[in-house]
Amino acid sequence: MSQKDDFSIHFIGGGNMASAMIGGLLRHGFLAKQLTVVDPDPNVVQRHQASGLNGSHLFEAPTNEPDMVIWAVKPQSFKAACTPVAPHTRQALHLSVAAGLTTDALSSWLGTERIVRAMPNTPALIGLGQAGLYARPAVSLLDKERINQVMHAIGQSIWVPRETDLDAVTAISGSGPAYVFYFLEAMMDAAQRMGLSAQTATQLAVGTFEGATALAKASSEPPGVLRERVTSKGGTTFAALEHMRAHQLNEHFVQALMAARHRAEEMGKELGSQ
Ligand SMILES: NC(=O)c1ccc[n+]([C@@H]2O[C@H](COP(=O)([O-])OP(=O)(O)OC[C@H]3O[C@@H](n4cnc5c(N)ncnc54)[C@H](OP(=O)(O)O)[C@@H]3O)[C@@H](O)[C@H]2O)c1
């Protein structure tokens, strides 16, 4: 029997992120009977029960303490959600996907040190997420292996050595999909101003991002070299990139991401002191 057949998981919160994780876990060989969902909304509970999971709208002390608890509630609901759960899950490994809440706050609310914090992003909803993970020192190698198995269900993950690195992860990949959508919108806007239809604009912009990111992933060359390969001096790409350079687009973009990291730091302080 593989490890994934061995451990039980309780989800606290059964909304978007929990549903994405549960769907991925079931596709990756976890069994519905290993998974329990607690959510105050009876419709949410019913939906998960229809997939064969155990579900309840109220946390009830389990006969056997779960091996893992996954916290998928909004940050502002977290502290209140801990009250009924914490006394019955002190031996469990805890994984939080809640944005901004530090493991110091979680540890004091849950009464345990075995806590991992994840910062996923929205492509996790289709199994293509990119997450950052941070573990408190009490988390063992086996614990980390189990977290890897779970996170694999919603895409790729990377461990960071310091919890403060998660603020940078939030700025880069957590908020990152919004930057990509922003550039897609700008490309589509330009295409339509050049007289192309909305449908053509969407296909050209989305298809270009898809192809270029796949090329960057498949290539051994860094993105800068790939960019230079499509930029002949005096050509069309050169004209566009010179315009961007003259307006310091790169520096503005870097500063925008610094602003996102600063906000992540501020939010961590605000949420931790609730
Ligand atoms: N969605 C994303 O792409 C994404 C990305 C990165 C991080 N996250 C993080 O993931 C977490 C969940 O986000 P989400 O988008 O999945 O939110 P969501 O769809 O609103 O799901 C949260 C669920 O938790 C339920 N809940 C509230 N209080 C509870 C309690 N005491 N016990 C059990 N369940 C409770 C909510 O019920 P009610 O609605 O009835 O209150 C809701 O069904 C958040 O902390 C967010 O920061 C999400």
Side-chain angles (χ1 to χ4, degrees):
M1 197 184 268
S2 72
Q3 275 169 13
K4 68 177 63 162
D5 298 323
D6 287 339
F7 61 97
S8 57
I9 304 176
H10 264 57
F11 281 86
I12 310 298
N16 294 317
M17 190 47 77
S19 300
M21 295 180 88
I22 289 164
L25 290 170
L26 295 176
R27 283 194 299 277
H28 282 79
F30 283 75
L31 305 174
K33 67 176 184 196
Q34 291 173 259
L35 311 176
T36 300
V37 180
V38 180
D39 194 291
D41 185 338
N43 295 324
V44 170
V45 173
Q46 220 168 32
R47 189 162 43 79
H48 291 298
Q49 284 172 332
S51 309
L53 275 71
N54 310 300
S56 171
H57 69 283
L58 261 183
F59 181 83
E60 290 154 16
T63 328
N64 295 315
E65 192 163 313
D67 296 302
M68 189 185 290
V69 180
I70 299 182
W71 292 88
V73 293
K74 294 282 187 202
Q76 54 276 21
S77 314
F78 206 114
K79 192 177 181 187
C82 287
T83 310
V85 181
H88 306 285
T89 57
R90 298 226 201 278
Q91 305 307 316
L93 170 63
H94 293 261
L95 169 64
S96 163
V97 297
L101 286 174
T102 63
T103 62
D104 278 347
L106 304 186
S107 168
S108 72
W109 298 341
L110 292 168
T112 174
E113 285 290 319
R114 272 175 78 211
I115 297 175
V116 172
R117 198 179 138 198
M119 181 60 222
N121 63 8
T122 51
L125 303 176
I126 54 162
L128 292 174
Q130 176 58 64
L133 298 170
Y134 168 76
R136 278 176 90 79
V139 172
S140 70
L141 281 178
L142 172 64
D143 288 342
K144 282 185 164 182
E145 181 43 41
R146 287 185 162 179
I147 297 287
N148 284 336
Q149 284 183 28
V150 167
M151 292 303 294
H152 185 60
I154 51 166
Q156 308 182 73
S157 299
I158 193 154
W159 292 91
V160 293
R162 296 166 305 187
E163 187 161 5
T164 49
D165 291 335
L166 285 185
D167 294 326
V169 171
T170 304
I172 306 295
S173 55
S175 303
Y179 317 144
V180 174
F181 301 140
Y182 183 83
F183 280 110
L184 282 174
E185 285 179 272
M187 282 172 81
M188 286 155 59
D189 183 24
Q192 287 181 82
R193 286 203 227 172
M194 292 174 195
L196 300 176
S197 71
Q199 197 188 356
T200 302
T202 305
Q203 183 175 332
L204 292 178
V206 176
T208 300
F209 261 79
E210 205 173 15
T213 50
L215 182 60
K217 197 169 179 181
S219 173
S220 57
E221 306 283 13
V225 171
L226 299 176
R227 174 175 49 76
E228 278 163 19
R229 287 214 185 114
V230 285
T231 316
S232 28
K233 199 153 190 239
T236 56
T237 316
F238 184 79
L241 291 176
E242 272 306 296
H243 191 84
M244 292 182 197
R245 213 167 315 197
H247 289 82
Q248 297 183 305
L249 201 65
N250 178 301
E251 187 52 28
H252 285 300
F253 189 58
V254 170
Q255 290 306 323
L257 271 59
M258 293 292 182
R261 185 183 66 169
H262 179 65
R263 185 64 192 129
E265 288 165 354
E266 281 181 344
M267 285 170 71
K269 287 183 194 133
E270 287 164 18
L271 290 163
S273 59
Q274 336 174 44

mmCIF file of all heavy atoms in Angstrom, residues 12-17 38-40 72-75 77 81 97-99 119-120 122, ligand 1:
data_model
loop_
_atom_site.group_PDB
_atom_site.id
_atom_site.type_symbol
_atom_site.label_atom_id
_atom_site.label_comp_id
_atom_site.label_asym_id
_atom_site.label_seq_id
_atom_site.Cartn_x
_atom_site.Cartn_y
_atom_site.Cartn_z
ATOM 1 N N ILE A 12 -10.983 21.785 6.316
ATOM 2 C CA ILE A 12 -11.833 22.760 7.012
ATOM 3 C C ILE A 12 -12.084 23.861 5.985
ATOM 4 O O ILE A 12 -11.165 24.599 5.616
ATOM 5 C CB ILE A 12 -11.158 23.322 8.283
ATOM 6 C CG1 ILE A 12 -10.627 22.178 9.169
ATOM 7 C CG2 ILE A 12 -12.141 24.218 9.035
ATOM 8 C CD1 ILE A 12 -11.674 21.210 9.693
ATOM 9 N N GLY A 13 -13.331 23.932 5.500
ATOM 10 C CA GLY A 13 -13.670 24.801 4.369
ATOM 11 C C GLY A 13 -13.697 23.957 3.107
ATOM 12 O O GLY A 13 -12.735 23.242 2.814
ATOM 13 N N GLY A 14 -14.834 24.010 2.402
ATOM 14 C CA GLY A 14 -14.979 23.158 1.211
ATOM 15 C C GLY A 14 -15.229 23.957 -0.053
ATOM 16 O O GLY A 14 -15.853 23.463 -0.984
ATOM 17 N N GLY A 15 -14.749 25.213 -0.087
ATOM 18 C CA GLY A 15 -15.005 26.104 -1.238
ATOM 19 C C GLY A 15 -14.112 25.834 -2.436
ATOM 20 O O GLY A 15 -13.756 24.678 -2.705
ATOM 21 N N ASN A 16 -13.740 26.920 -3.138
ATOM 22 C CA ASN A 16 -13.007 26.795 -4.409
ATOM 23 C C ASN A 16 -11.684 26.047 -4.282
ATOM 24 O O ASN A 16 -11.420 25.103 -5.028
ATOM 25 C CB ASN A 16 -12.682 28.200 -4.959
ATOM 26 C CG ASN A 16 -13.936 28.927 -5.347
ATOM 27 O OD1 ASN A 16 -14.828 28.349 -5.954
ATOM 28 N ND2 ASN A 16 -14.023 30.204 -4.988
ATOM 29 N N MET A 17 -10.855 26.501 -3.335
ATOM 30 C CA MET A 17 -9.518 25.912 -3.238
ATOM 31 C C MET A 17 -9.598 24.471 -2.757
ATOM 32 O O MET A 17 -8.928 23.593 -3.297
ATOM 33 C CB MET A 17 -8.655 26.776 -2.308
ATOM 34 C CG MET A 17 -7.194 26.441 -2.286
ATOM 35 S SD MET A 17 -6.392 26.212 -3.879
ATOM 36 C CE MET A 17 -6.190 27.881 -4.449
ATOM 37 N N VAL A 38 -15.465 19.714 6.159
ATOM 38 C CA VAL A 38 -16.335 20.431 7.094
ATOM 39 C C VAL A 38 -16.570 21.819 6.523
ATOM 40 O O VAL A 38 -15.610 22.544 6.219
ATOM 41 C CB VAL A 38 -15.678 20.561 8.489
ATOM 42 C CG1 VAL A 38 -16.602 21.321 9.437
ATOM 43 C CG2 VAL A 38 -15.326 19.199 9.054
ATOM 44 N N ASP A 39 -17.843 22.178 6.315
ATOM 45 C CA ASP A 39 -18.180 23.500 5.765
ATOM 46 C C ASP A 39 -19.592 23.853 6.257
ATOM 47 O O ASP A 39 -20.483 22.986 6.239
ATOM 48 C CB ASP A 39 -18.142 23.459 4.229
ATOM 49 C CG ASP A 39 -18.154 24.857 3.620
ATOM 50 O OD1 ASP A 39 -19.204 25.553 3.715
ATOM 51 O OD2 ASP A 39 -17.124 25.268 3.039
ATOM 52 N N PRO A 40 -19.803 25.110 6.677
ATOM 53 C CA PRO A 40 -21.133 25.462 7.216
ATOM 54 C C PRO A 40 -22.250 25.416 6.176
ATOM 55 O O PRO A 40 -23.426 25.331 6.552
ATOM 56 C CB PRO A 40 -20.935 26.901 7.732
ATOM 57 C CG PRO A 40 -19.670 27.405 7.129
ATOM 58 C CD PRO A 40 -18.839 26.218 6.780
ATOM 59 N N ALA A 72 -8.756 25.510 4.428
ATOM 60 C CA ALA A 72 -9.091 26.202 3.180
ATOM 61 C C ALA A 72 -10.247 27.165 3.416
ATOM 62 O O ALA A 72 -11.205 27.215 2.649
ATOM 63 C CB ALA A 72 -9.436 25.186 2.087
ATOM 64 N N VAL A 73 -10.145 27.903 4.526
ATOM 65 C CA VAL A 73 -11.135 28.954 4.817
ATOM 66 C C VAL A 73 -10.499 30.305 4.527
ATOM 67 O O VAL A 73 -9.278 30.423 4.437
ATOM 68 C CB VAL A 73 -11.615 28.919 6.298
ATOM 69 C CG1 VAL A 73 -12.405 27.665 6.582
ATOM 70 C CG2 VAL A 73 -10.441 29.016 7.260
ATOM 71 N N LYS A 74 -11.326 31.338 4.398
ATOM 72 C CA LYS A 74 -10.810 32.693 4.191
ATOM 73 C C LYS A 74 -10.003 33.112 5.427
ATOM 74 O O LYS A 74 -10.368 32.718 6.555
ATOM 75 C CB LYS A 74 -11.979 33.676 3.986
ATOM 76 C CG LYS A 74 -12.770 33.417 2.709
ATOM 77 C CD LYS A 74 -12.039 33.953 1.503
ATOM 78 C CE LYS A 74 -12.910 33.842 0.254
ATOM 79 N NZ LYS A 74 -12.090 33.851 -0.967
ATOM 80 N N PRO A 75 -8.971 33.922 5.231
ATOM 81 C CA PRO A 75 -8.137 34.311 6.381
ATOM 82 C C PRO A 75 -8.945 34.901 7.534
ATOM 83 O O PRO A 75 -8.677 34.608 8.708
ATOM 84 C CB PRO A 75 -7.187 35.357 5.782
ATOM 85 C CG PRO A 75 -7.130 35.036 4.329
ATOM 86 C CD PRO A 75 -8.478 34.473 3.961
ATOM 87 N N SER A 77 -11.885 34.152 8.499
ATOM 88 C CA SER A 77 -12.703 33.139 9.204
ATOM 89 C C SER A 77 -11.829 32.164 9.992
ATOM 90 O O SER A 77 -12.342 31.291 10.709
ATOM 91 C CB SER A 77 -13.510 32.298 8.207
ATOM 92 O OG SER A 77 -14.141 33.080 7.249
ATOM 93 N N ALA A 81 -12.670 29.434 13.117
ATOM 94 C CA ALA A 81 -12.780 28.038 12.672
ATOM 95 C C ALA A 81 -11.889 27.118 13.502
ATOM 96 O O ALA A 81 -12.167 25.923 13.639
ATOM 97 C CB ALA A 81 -12.425 27.941 11.187
ATOM 98 N N VAL A 97 -3.707 26.980 3.402
ATOM 99 C CA VAL A 97 -3.560 27.684 2.105
ATOM 100 C C VAL A 97 -4.057 29.121 2.228
ATOM 101 O O VAL A 97 -4.172 29.825 1.224
ATOM 102 C CB VAL A 97 -4.298 26.957 0.948
ATOM 103 C CG1 VAL A 97 -3.718 25.581 0.697
ATOM 104 C CG2 VAL A 97 -5.793 26.870 1.190
ATOM 105 N N ALA A 98 -4.357 29.553 3.457
ATOM 106 C CA ALA A 98 -4.901 30.904 3.654
ATOM 107 C C ALA A 98 -3.826 31.961 3.421
ATOM 108 O O ALA A 98 -2.739 31.887 3.996
ATOM 109 C CB ALA A 98 -5.452 31.036 5.067
ATOM 110 N N ALA A 99 -4.153 32.934 2.593
ATOM 111 C CA ALA A 99 -3.184 33.979 2.260
ATOM 112 C C ALA A 99 -2.875 34.815 3.501
ATOM 113 O O ALA A 99 -3.763 35.161 4.273
ATOM 114 C CB ALA A 99 -3.752 34.865 1.162
ATOM 115 N N MET A 119 1.301 28.959 -0.363
ATOM 116 C CA MET A 119 0.749 30.088 -1.112
ATOM 117 C C MET A 119 0.501 29.612 -2.536
ATOM 118 O O MET A 119 1.395 29.620 -3.371
ATOM 119 C CB MET A 119 1.758 31.260 -1.083
ATOM 120 C CG MET A 119 1.264 32.496 -1.805
ATOM 121 S SD MET A 119 -0.266 33.126 -1.066
ATOM 122 C CE MET A 119 -1.204 33.544 -2.515
ATOM 123 N N PRO A 120 -0.724 29.141 -2.802
ATOM 124 C CA PRO A 120 -1.039 28.678 -4.163
ATOM 125 C C PRO A 120 -1.480 29.856 -5.048
ATOM 126 O O PRO A 120 -1.506 30.998 -4.583
ATOM 127 C CB PRO A 120 -2.207 27.710 -3.942
ATOM 128 C CG PRO A 120 -2.711 27.939 -2.559
ATOM 129 C CD PRO A 120 -1.852 28.963 -1.887
ATOM 130 N N THR A 122 -4.329 30.916 -8.595
ATOM 131 C CA THR A 122 -5.616 30.467 -9.152
ATOM 132 C C THR A 122 -5.520 29.373 -10.230
ATOM 133 O O THR A 122 -6.447 28.569 -10.314
ATOM 134 C CB THR A 122 -6.454 31.639 -9.708
ATOM 135 O OG1 THR A 122 -5.647 32.392 -10.591
ATOM 136 C CG2 THR A 122 -6.986 32.513 -8.612
HETATM 137 N N1 LIG B 1 -9.181 30.584 -4.695
HETATM 138 C C1 LIG B 1 -7.876 30.708 -4.953
HETATM 139 O O1 LIG B 1 -7.430 30.648 -6.093
HETATM 140 C C2 LIG B 1 -6.863 30.894 -3.842
HETATM 141 C C3 LIG B 1 -5.524 31.154 -4.154
HETATM 142 C C4 LIG B 1 -4.595 31.280 -3.104
HETATM 143 C C5 LIG B 1 -5.006 31.131 -1.795
HETATM 144 N N2 LIG B 1 -6.322 30.903 -1.525
HETATM 145 C C6 LIG B 1 -6.727 30.778 -0.126
HETATM 146 O O2 LIG B 1 -7.566 29.656 0.032
HETATM 147 C C7 LIG B 1 -8.479 29.907 1.100
HETATM 148 C C8 LIG B 1 -9.865 29.506 0.653
HETATM 149 O O3 LIG B 1 -10.214 30.302 -0.477
HETATM 150 P P1 LIG B 1 -11.430 29.882 -1.409
HETATM 151 O O4 LIG B 1 -11.325 30.683 -2.644
HETATM 152 O O5 LIG B 1 -11.530 28.398 -1.494
HETATM 153 O O6 LIG B 1 -12.660 30.454 -0.501
HETATM 154 P P2 LIG B 1 -14.184 29.988 -0.521
HETATM 155 O O7 LIG B 1 -14.568 29.421 -1.837
HETATM 156 O O8 LIG B 1 -14.963 31.109 0.073
HETATM 157 O O9 LIG B 1 -14.180 28.758 0.515
HETATM 158 C C9 LIG B 1 -14.073 28.911 1.899
HETATM 159 C C10 LIG B 1 -15.143 28.030 2.534
HETATM 160 O O10 LIG B 1 -14.903 27.973 3.940
HETATM 161 C C11 LIG B 1 -16.168 27.977 4.569
HETATM 162 N N3 LIG B 1 -16.072 28.319 5.990
HETATM 163 C C12 LIG B 1 -16.221 29.527 6.603
HETATM 164 N N4 LIG B 1 -16.092 29.385 7.951
HETATM 165 C C13 LIG B 1 -15.848 28.069 8.184
HETATM 166 C C14 LIG B 1 -15.651 27.308 9.363
HETATM 167 N N5 LIG B 1 -15.669 27.882 10.593
HETATM 168 N N6 LIG B 1 -15.423 25.969 9.267
HETATM 169 C C15 LIG B 1 -15.415 25.384 8.044
HETATM 170 N N7 LIG B 1 -15.631 26.056 6.885
HETATM 171 C C16 LIG B 1 -15.828 27.387 6.946
HETATM 172 C C17 LIG B 1 -16.919 29.002 3.755
HETATM 173 O O11 LIG B 1 -18.314 28.924 4.001
HETATM 174 P P3 LIG B 1 -19.180 30.303 3.902
HETATM 175 O O12 LIG B 1 -19.008 30.788 2.499
HETATM 176 O O13 LIG B 1 -20.567 29.840 4.232
HETATM 177 O O14 LIG B 1 -18.583 31.264 4.906
HETATM 178 C C18 LIG B 1 -16.567 28.594 2.342
HETATM 179 O O15 LIG B 1 -17.401 27.573 1.827
HETATM 180 C C19 LIG B 1 -8.385 31.403 1.449
HETATM 181 O O16 LIG B 1 -7.745 31.546 2.692
HETATM 182 C C20 LIG B 1 -7.546 31.986 0.335
HETATM 183 O O17 LIG B 1 -6.662 32.987 0.842
HETATM 184 C C21 LIG B 1 -7.260 30.775 -2.513
#
